[in-house]
Amino acid sequence: ISMVVPVPELATRLAGFAADFAADREWRYGMFTPDEAEILGEVGLYPRSSTGRAPYAHADHAELGYWLRADATGKGLVTEAARALMGVAAALPRISHLEIRCDPRNTPSVDVARRLGFVLAESGSDSIFIVRTHAEIAEIQGAPRTGC
């Protein structure tokens, strides 16, 4: 976001995002200012299998991802948007659990995961993996349990 992207390149990226969304490979949602004039960030669900990101039809869990412009932090926007996508994940029968992957040095991202009730499952040199079971997601959201 800090660099200007030429319109043709941006159009290509957005078309790819739309194709991935329609094919159930990833579901990205933009976060905008109330007047929709500026993008503030993004939250997304990314179906995964044991080998990595996968189309939903081949997935057994999902990754919850997010980013936010530095000048928009501290307002609960990512927490609110991520909590809403947790509700979506809870309604997906194939999803056994949800994970957040973030750099352990990225304190704000780690804090969001903890606020959402995720717990540290494993730690690596570049990232930490925070997992929530499907049943817990449904319980947090008040959604009916449709998955494991």
Side-chain angles (χ1 to χ4, degrees), residues 119-124 127-131:
V119 294
L120 178 63
E122 88 183 60
S123 177
S127 60
I128 59 175
F129 305 94
I130 302 173
V131 177

Side-chain angles (χ1 to χ4, degrees), residues 46-108:
Y46 307 94
R48 297 183 68 88
S49 69
S50 61
T51 59
R53 289 191 179 173
Y56 176 67
H58 302 288
D60 62 357
H61 65 285
E63 176 182 350
L64 175 61
Y66 44 82
W67 65 267
L68 191 66
R69 278 184 1 199
D71 63 342
T73 61
K75 301 172 185 168
L77 299 173
V78 167
T79 302
E80 181 180 352
R83 192 176 308 278
L85 277 188
M86 287 174 66
V88 171
L92 296 171
R94 298 188 60 79
I95 303 304
S96 64
H97 67 275
L98 190 57
E99 64 187 26
I100 294 173
R101 297 167 174 246
C102 59
D103 187 316
R105 298 168 295 184
N106 185 341
T107 304

